[in-house]
Amino acid sequence: MRQIGILGTGRMALRLAAELVRNEHRVTLGSRDPARATRIAAALGPSVSAGTYEEAAAAEAVIPALFLRDDALAVLQRLPLQGKLLIDISNPFNEDYSDFTLPWGASASEAIQEALPATRVVGAFKNIYWETFDQPVFDGNRSDIFLVSDDAPGKREVAQLFERSAFRFVDAGRLANARTVERMTLLAQEIGRRHGWLPRIGWKILGEPWQAGSHDRYAGLLAR
Ligand SMILES: NC(=O)c1ccc[n+]([C@@H]2O[C@H](COP(=O)([O-])OP(=O)(O)OC[C@H]3O[C@@H](n4cnc5c(N)ncnc54)[C@H](OP(=O)(O)O)[C@@H]3O)[C@@H](O)[C@H]2O)c1
């Protein structure tokens, strides 16, 4: 059992808190409005307590469930997060969700890591919509969560925190891959709208063990 702090009391914060409780962890829900956090924590059960952002940030691992457009970077820089595991779920959406506030070649995860160089930033839960939490399985397929970080133990820690989750956690490489993973949300939004699936849309990467040559039915033809 671990103590996790969540900053914010919105759509993702609530679901992450419930998911962490299902995984037998304790959560401090931090809010600008501690009375709101108290009401929500009471509804989520005895493993969830309420407080300020500062109180939530005292936990060993912290999940900011805030938008970058709402000055999340400045909020995080004021908190004592040095040496901590920070699970970054943010996508840098603009106000009307039509695009990102960051340019191609940049990502929210990298911006947070740059602002907090002594914090262990792991990007996670970026490629799903909040509605997926309530039903993470699509036609028998567990929805994938892509983990990105330059801190390999950090990625394993995140996967362990949620090991009883219905999601499948996939190591998706370095932190800079957050540029791609974050923008997968924009693509999913566009595809989802076109096909009437939004917000019931997720990602599943296909893969299986492969041995060189074992599946190359044309190997003989290609030999010189
Ligand atoms: N929505 C999704 O489906 C989804 C999926 C993947 C990732 N994400 C990411 O998760 C993060 C949170 O998204 P969300 O949908 O959970 O957001 P949300 O429901 O709007 O909640 C955001 C929270 O931010 C806090 N906040 C701090 N400053 C604020 C301000 N100036 N204005 C409004 N709220 C402020 C509020 O909590 P307090 O009032 O308690 O402080 C609020 O509840 C974002 O970075 C988003 O990109 C979202």
Side-chain angles (χ1 to χ4, degrees), residues 11 67-70 90-102 183 186 189 193:
R11 297 163 290 193
F67 277 99
L68 245 53
R69 66 181 185 224
D70 291 332
S90 62
N91 289 315
F93 273 108
N94 60 11
E95 287 291 338
D96 67 6
Y97 295 90
S98 59
D99 206 346
F100 281 175
T101 56
L102 295 179
R183 284 185 178 272
L186 285 175
Q189 179 176 270
R193 282 216 180 93

Side-chain angles (χ1 to χ4, degrees), residues 25 87-88 112 116 128 138 146 151 165 188 197 203 211 216:
H25 302 298
I87 305 172
D88 166 41
I112 292 173
L116 305 172
I128 54 150
F138 290 68
F146 297 118
D151 184 319
S165 154
W197 300 332
W203 293 89
Q211 277 183 330
D216 188 351

Side-chain angles (χ1 to χ4, degrees), residues 8-13 30-32 36 53 65-67 70 89-91 93 125-126 128-130:
T9 52
R11 297 163 290 193
M12 288 295 278
S31 177
R32 297 170 298 168
R36 172 181 163 84
Y53 286 171
L66 313 169
F67 277 99
D70 291 332
I89 67 167
S90 62
N91 289 315
F93 273 108
F125 295 102
K126 290 173 182 280
I128 54 150
Y129 283 93
W130 61 265

Side-chain angles (χ1 to χ4, degrees), residues 2 4 13-14 31 42 86 125 129 137 176 180 191 195 201:
R2 296 188 62 186
I4 314 299
L14 264 65
S31 177
L86 185 149
F125 295 102
Y129 283 93
V137 179
T180 306
I191 294 172
H195 296 273
I201 184 162

Side-chain angles (χ1 to χ4, degrees), residues 8-100:
T9 52
R11 297 163 290 193
M12 288 295 278
L14 264 65
R15 285 170 172 82
L16 284 161
E19 189 76 26
L20 286 162
V21 170
R22 272 195 291 279
N23 280 270
E24 299 193 344
H25 302 298
R26 300 185 65 83
V27 175
T28 305
L29 210 49
S31 177
R32 297 170 298 168
D33 175 359
R36 172 181 163 84
T38 301
R39 179 173 54 80
I40 294 170
L44 289 173
S47 301
V48 184
S49 58
T52 60
Y53 286 171
E54 288 73 16
E55 286 163 332
E60 46 189 307
V62 177
I63 310 179
L66 313 169
F67 277 99
L68 245 53
R69 66 181 185 224
D70 291 332
D71 260 349
L73 282 182
V75 170
L76 297 177
Q77 280 178 308
R78 284 196 291 272
L79 296 171
L81 295 168
Q82 292 81 356
K84 295 200 176 177
L85 179 69
L86 185 149
I87 305 172
D88 166 41
I89 67 167
S90 62
N91 289 315
F93 273 108
N94 60 11
E95 287 291 338
D96 67 6
Y97 295 90
S98 59
D99 206 346
F100 281 175

